[in-house]
Amino acid sequence: MDETIFDVAVIGLGYIGLPTAASFAAKGKLVAGVDVKQSTVDAVNRGEVPFVEPDMGVVVSGAVSLGNLVAMATVPAADAYIIAVPTPLAEGNGADLSYLRSAVEALAPKLRGGELVVLESTSPPGTTERLGAHLLELRPDLTLDTPGPNQVHVVHSPERVLPGRIMIEMVTNDRVIGGLTEEGAQLAKRLYEVICQGEILLTDATTAEMTKLVENTFRDVNIAFANELSLICDNLGIDVWKLIELANHHPRVNVLRPGPGVGGHCIAVDPWFIVDAVPEHSGLIRTAREVNDSKPHHVVRQAVQSLADQPGATVAVLGLAFKANIDDVRESPSVTIVQELVRQLPESTILVVDPNVEELPAGLAAVGLAGLHDMEEAVAAADLVMLLVDHDEFLTLDLQSLEGKNVIDTKGIWNQHEPDASRLHLPAGASVSG
Ligand code: SAJ
């Protein structure tokens, strides 16, 4: 029996790979979704999404039931390969490219010549060129830039969708494609036109890599500015939220929002890839990372200070995910904050609340926390309530229930909804920024 040749094989069925695979399948392409995790393969083949992401369930289950999306643990033959595996931070702030190397090794034996290989994973500058070189080492019979039947086209097309809005942004965002060759970039453009209604912009591979890193670095540097302002305002005894609101009335000013730190696997990571590549010219980028990474420790100091006279106090921590209305706890500043609270307040009871998260991440179970708690019960029991994530559920908390308690609102959601913040017992500076 002839081997099936898929239109597209997506390697890595995570937050990016699975919606990409499902989107192509929904447009009628025959798509293989490949993942090393058997539980993910099984879930997708049942039409299920193994994480929380709005609007994704219906697309995945539809594609699977039509027979257009099939998940599997090994790489099949395909006309186009899309690699969407993690590229996390390694020791020393470079990228850990081991998953990428494994993906390349898995797909190399399947190449027949003429295929398109797309790297979607966020990658340090030069990665796509090295990927091409790696492919040639594995398959010296192929070429990257000599036209002919043995040519394989390697491009970088970074994903740029926002968790929580992936299904919308995958279609509407503009897309950058950087090819090792012009022809490769054109081929990839034709492929992505199937799912992308935004503009598709072509460039070289290294510029495409840097485009993605720069987008997230721009955001990180701007959030660092807001976070630094929150510390300055705490020191000056003024309300950072009010200050930012007033400054943002200027037509060319748009200060972002301070918070408990910057989480997620993108913004807290990507700037380091630039620092790692050109350390002698990235002082500002490095400092911004350090400002954002120091913010969770500042929030912990505020909590410890506010409970100085209450040993054995109960602390309700609202929000574990790295941002509002998702369940993703990767690089979440909340996890760091809770770990530090447990360490620095050994006599206290810490009650963690997150309606989107099903179980405590390993890092918190390891410090002895038992599980997650109901919001109303935790708040009722608490001496100190810390708001770390602006989930919708927390916006609607009855503020009467905070009366007489210490409150640290790192997202500034409660004082905006509460004209009389004096009803809350707020530790110095804590009400305004956290
Ligand atoms: N944050 C603040 N203040 C703000 C905005 C965000 O403290 O004013 C914090 C959030 O609470 C969170 C972190 O920053 O902890 C990151 O959240 P985010 O919503 O800014 O971004 P991500 O990490 O969910 O997604 C980003 C997006 N990049 C940009 O907006 C430039 C997304 O488009 C990328 O695809 C994604 O990174 C990625 O995968 O790289």
Side-chain angles (χ1 to χ4, degrees), residues 174-432:
D174 294 344
R175 187 171 268 279
V176 174
I177 294 176
L180 293 188
T181 60
E182 169 73 28
E183 194 194 347
Q186 291 290 355
L187 267 178
K189 182 174 188 227
R190 282 203 287 284
L191 176 67
Y192 280 102
E193 273 167 355
V194 172
I195 60 167
C196 174
Q197 290 168 9
E199 201 177 336
I200 298 184
L201 307 145
L202 304 189
T203 182
D204 62 88
T206 307
T207 305
E209 287 157 352
M210 277 300 282
T211 305
K212 167 63 193 263
L213 299 179
V214 161
E215 290 163 4
N216 281 346
T217 301
F218 173 85
R219 200 152 166 84
D220 196 46
V221 170
N222 281 280
I223 297 169
F225 178 65
N227 276 333
E228 187 162 287
L229 279 182
S230 75
L231 305 191
I232 292 169
C233 287
D234 282 359
N235 210 274
L236 295 175
I238 63 173
D239 182 339
V240 70
W241 307 104
K242 188 72 202 163
L243 170 71
I244 290 173
E245 189 199 318
L246 293 172
N248 283 350
H249 274 271
H250 186 285
R252 286 177 298 284
V253 173
N254 182 19
V255 181
L256 294 183
R257 299 175 65 78
V262 168
H265 44 291
C266 313
I267 294 185
V269 170
D270 297 357
W272 287 122
F273 294 171
I274 299 182
V275 175
D276 188 54
V278 191
E280 61 276 27
H281 293 299
S282 38
L284 173 66
I285 297 171
R286 171 190 287 276
T287 303
R289 266 299 54 248
E290 288 167 353
V291 166
N292 287 333
D293 274 353
S294 71
K295 194 68 199 290
H297 305 290
H298 174 77
V299 175
V300 171
R301 271 195 301 279
Q302 284 186 316
V304 171
Q305 272 166 19
S306 79
L307 294 176
D309 303 330
Q310 291 169 271
T314 298
V315 182
V317 178
L318 305 196
L320 206 51
F322 83 83
K323 65 174 192 175
N325 303 326
I326 60 168
D327 68 341
D328 191 345
V329 297
R330 285 179 292 176
E331 319 288 333
S332 174
S334 304
V335 174
T336 309
I337 289 170
V338 174
Q339 280 170 334
E340 276 295 299
L341 287 173
V342 171
R343 208 174 58 79
Q344 295 194 30
L345 297 171
E347 292 172 44
S348 287
T349 305
I350 316 287
L351 305 174
V352 181
V353 178
D354 195 310
N356 292 336
V357 176
E358 277 184 10
E359 57 185 53
L360 283 177
L364 293 186
V367 295
L369 290 180
L372 289 143
H373 294 265
D374 171 76
M375 175 173 74
E376 269 88 17
E377 283 171 23
V379 169
D383 302 293
L384 167 65
V385 180
M386 300 176 71
L387 186 284
L388 303 184
V389 184
D390 43 348
H391 286 323
D392 287 348
E393 290 83 350
F394 303 154
L395 289 167
T396 57
L397 178 79
D398 175 11
L399 292 182
Q400 301 268 356
S401 64
L402 295 175
E403 220 165 314
K405 298 178 189 293
N406 289 335
V407 175
I408 297 178
D409 173 4
T410 68
K411 301 299 279 188
I413 62 171
W414 287 334
N415 59 346
Q416 287 181 354
H417 293 252
E418 173 50 295
D420 182 13
S422 61
R423 279 201 304 122
L424 313 176
H425 174 59
L426 300 160
S431 63
V432 291

